[in-house]
Amino acid sequence: MDITQLFPVSHGLVTEKTWETIKKIWNKDPEIDRFCNNLSTEKFSFPGLEFLPDLIRLEWAVDQARRISSECSPERISLNPSLQVLILSWKNLPLFIKKKDRTAPYPIEAGPEWVLIWLEPASHKLQVEAGSNEDLLVLKMLAEDLDIEEVARSGGLPIASVENMVDRAVKKGILIRPPSEIRRESLTFPRGEVTHESFFSAEVFTLQWHLTQLCDLHCRHCYDRSSKAALSLKQAQKILDDLKAFCRARKVKGHISFTGGNPFLHPDFFQIYQAAVEQGFSTAILGNPVSRKALEKITALEKPGFFQVSLEGLPEHNDYIRGTGHFDRTLAFLSLLKQLGIYSMVMLTLTRDNLPQVLPLAELLRGKTEAFFFNRLSRVGEGANLLLPDPEEYQRFLEAYLKASRENPLLGLKDNLFNILLYRKGEEIFGGCAGYGCSGAFNFLTLLPDGEVHACRKFPSPVGHSLHQSFEEIYQSEEAQRYRAGSQACSSCPIRPVCGGCLAVSFSLGLNIFEERDPFCFFR
């Protein structure tokens, strides 16, 4: 290859006379290390461009990265095959590669700097940047085949912190994770209009863990007020071990959403939370307002990814459903979460009575929380005493909500049926309820206080028992496969991978959830 094409940036910085001299040196010995070392000797001088040999070395590495495919399907987390790692004697040289104006006076200074060059696995876009200490630690782990738990112990870090470093390296593209083994079967879920691979393969498996039935509220739509005994700390630790093994075998990251009742009322909540963090699980809390002291105790262990609280409408209606004073306490709690830097979300259970209050509530919450979502009521437990809106009225509401979401950034989309509207409008669809349409028993399971495992908490959907079966056995069970497949009535729908309606709503209205479709579906 012509040296001018190989090193275009360096060529643009020197005179043609100097470049001719450089070309002669290259033609004598084009081995890159010897070539750059020759340029660095006292025989050659580049006034104001003393960094030129290192820049040439960098351009060579860029060319090498472009020649190597970043595509691979490793059995374990591995280095990106295109990754090039350099130790340069000058800082900020990547700016010459990344910026269009290569003649700009960049802040180049003497001093060692590690530089990483690679092609992103998905986009194949070239990336060139200085390696951070975190990047270098992750690369050292891979190069020396160090175990994550070993690195965490030697550095006095939670396992989750080290795993998060690895996750960030995977997201950046310098590492490549093996393909997830939590996948939709294409025969059951035809791609139709949904072709994006991300809707068929899950990278995260979520366990919604209802630690206890104990609760400091008594909501009028509560799905279950039965007196299930809570698991012991020893049993909880065994479950965490098994969940970790399941996630490793399935090549996914594990996430636990702790809820209840009120999870803080479990006598061993903090120990279970700490054990989950130490196992490397990401965490979230779905609960009621708690004290600053309790929050600070949790964040000292590991800040949850988010803390979700519930509001059921404007103050009067909310307090009718959840108890006097609940609305004001929740707003004060949202303020506390903001003070402590904890991402907050507000969830609403939608009924006929609070439907008109949803958008006004979302406006009221601007600046007070990061996100707002709703789920339709499942008329089970005490929720059987409440009513759902008329399907036609609900469709009009979805249209109004979708329109309002363009103006109010809090408004998140969760109900799968939003995808019908997006499909009709020719707009980009989203992942639906939990990223994959109805995700019960796919990338999501619910664990009840006594160890029962269900596909979804919003209605009775038992698939196994964690005290008698492993998560792998539960996941492969016929019951789980049935919930995973969903309703036969949806099987040929072109947006099935991101929809499937809501099995909980269908069940609560007396339908056969494995044969009939969501009665609120308006896809025609």
Side-chain angles (χ1 to χ4, degrees), residues 208 223 349 375-381 383-384 388 415-416 433 437-440 444 446 454-461 483 486-487 499-514 516-520:
Q208 188 181 91
Y223 300 130
T349 299
N375 271 323
R376 278 176 284 159
L377 169 76
S378 174
R379 299 184 68 228
V380 300
L388 283 158
D415 195 309
N416 295 328
C433 183
C438 179
S439 297
F444 177 94
T446 293
H454 288 239
C456 173
R457 182 66 178 105
K458 292 169 61 181
F459 74 111
S461 49
Y483 285 106
S487 173
C499 191
C502 178
L503 299 184
V505 169
S506 296
F507 175 90
S508 74
L509 295 177
L511 301 183
N512 183 329
I513 63 172
F514 301 115
E516 299 177 89
R517 69 178 183 174
D518 187 327
F520 285 79

Side-chain angles (χ1 to χ4, degrees), residues 9 13 44 150 195 204 297 325 392 413 424 461 464 469 495 503 512:
V9 178
L13 296 177
F44 302 99
E150 178 186 339
T195 59
V204 178
K297 188 172 181 179
E392 287 74 23
L413 306 185
R424 283 179 175 177
S461 49
Q469 299 166 280
I495 61 170
L503 299 184
N512 183 329

Side-chain angles (χ1 to χ4, degrees), residues 140-158:
K140 177 182 172 67
M141 286 171 54
L142 267 290
E144 298 182 9
D145 197 23
L146 300 177
D147 184 72
I148 286 178
E149 283 88 346
E150 178 186 339
V151 173
R153 281 193 300 271
S154 63
L157 298 170

Side-chain angles (χ1 to χ4, degrees), residues 193-493:
E193 299 297 325
V194 182
T195 59
H196 199 288
E197 180 63 22
S198 64
F199 296 132
F200 289 82
S201 176
E203 300 298 325
V204 178
F205 182 84
T206 296
L207 181 69
Q208 188 181 91
W209 193 344
H210 294 257
L211 282 175
T212 178
Q213 296 289 80
L214 296 176
C215 189
D216 43 342
L217 301 176
H218 192 135
C219 303
R220 292 179 183 268
H221 63 266
C222 186
Y223 300 130
D224 185 2
R225 294 291 297 184
S226 62
S227 55
K228 290 181 171 66
L231 299 172
S232 67
L233 178 58
K234 184 177 180 180
Q235 289 171 320
Q237 289 173 326
K238 185 171 181 292
I239 285 170
L240 289 171
D241 289 340
D242 182 50
L243 180 62
K244 183 71 174 180
F246 171 79
C247 291
R248 280 183 170 170
R250 291 283 175 165
K251 299 180 174 64
V252 293
K253 183 167 177 60
H255 172 84
I256 301 177
S257 290
F258 289 103
T259 185
N262 182 347
F264 285 82
L265 297 180
H266 189 288
D268 299 314
F269 172 58
F270 292 102
Q271 293 97 314
I272 295 172
Y273 185 92
Q274 180 177 4
V277 168
E278 290 176 349
Q279 286 273 33
F281 295 107
S282 60
T283 60
I285 298 173
L286 320 179
N288 305 330
V290 295
S291 68
R292 173 185 283 270
K293 182 179 179 181
L295 277 182
E296 290 175 341
K297 188 172 181 179
I298 280 293
T299 55
L301 298 172
E302 182 84 0
K303 185 185 295 184
F306 63 88
F307 197 122
Q308 177 181 296
V309 293
S310 295
L311 288 172
E312 309 306 338
L314 298 173
E316 183 178 355
H317 181 77
N318 177 81
D319 288 4
Y320 167 74
I321 297 292
R322 289 190 168 264
T324 303
H326 176 268
F327 190 92
D328 289 340
R329 288 199 306 277
T330 301
L331 258 59
F333 184 66
L334 290 173
S335 177
L336 176 59
L337 290 173
K338 191 175 288 289
Q339 291 173 36
L340 297 177
I342 300 174
Y343 189 97
S344 69
M345 295 167 52
V346 172
M347 176 62 71
L348 175 143
T349 299
L350 188 136
T351 67
R352 183 189 66 181
D353 294 332
N354 67 6
L355 181 146
Q357 301 180 36
V358 173
L359 295 180
L361 174 62
E363 283 299 315
L364 186 153
L365 290 173
R366 280 187 187 247
K368 297 178 174 63
T369 186
E370 277 71 43
F372 175 83
F373 297 92
F374 72 85
N375 271 323
R376 278 176 284 159
L377 169 76
S378 174
R379 299 184 68 228
V380 300
E382 296 187 20
N385 298 316
L386 303 177
L387 298 174
L388 283 158
D390 176 81
E392 287 74 23
E393 181 186 16
Y394 184 63
Q395 181 180 343
R396 291 192 295 272
F397 164 75
L398 290 182
E399 292 169 344
Y401 186 101
L402 187 60
K403 182 179 179 180
S405 71
R406 315 301 191 200
E407 301 296 329
N408 187 342
L410 290 186
L411 291 172
L413 306 185
K414 188 169 176 66
D415 195 309
N416 295 328
L417 302 188
F418 276 116
N419 275 320
I420 301 176
L421 295 177
L422 296 171
Y423 175 76
R424 283 179 175 177
K425 295 173 184 291
E427 298 180 16
E428 185 177 354
I429 57 178
F430 77 112
C433 183
Y436 306 86
C438 179
S439 297
F442 173 58
N443 67 316
F444 177 94
L445 283 172
T446 293
L447 177 62
L448 301 190
D450 61 355
E452 280 186 17
V453 180
H454 288 239
C456 173
R457 182 66 178 105
K458 292 169 61 181
F459 74 111
S461 49
V463 293
H465 203 293
S466 62
L467 296 185
H468 313 302
Q469 299 166 280
S470 69
F471 278 105
E472 185 63 38
E473 291 170 331
I474 293 169
Y475 192 82
Q476 292 190 28
S477 68
E478 290 185 11
E479 294 86 350
Q481 292 179 42
R482 232 181 145 200
Y483 285 106
R484 201 149 53 236
S487 173
Q488 282 297 311
C490 300
S491 61
S492 61
C493 180

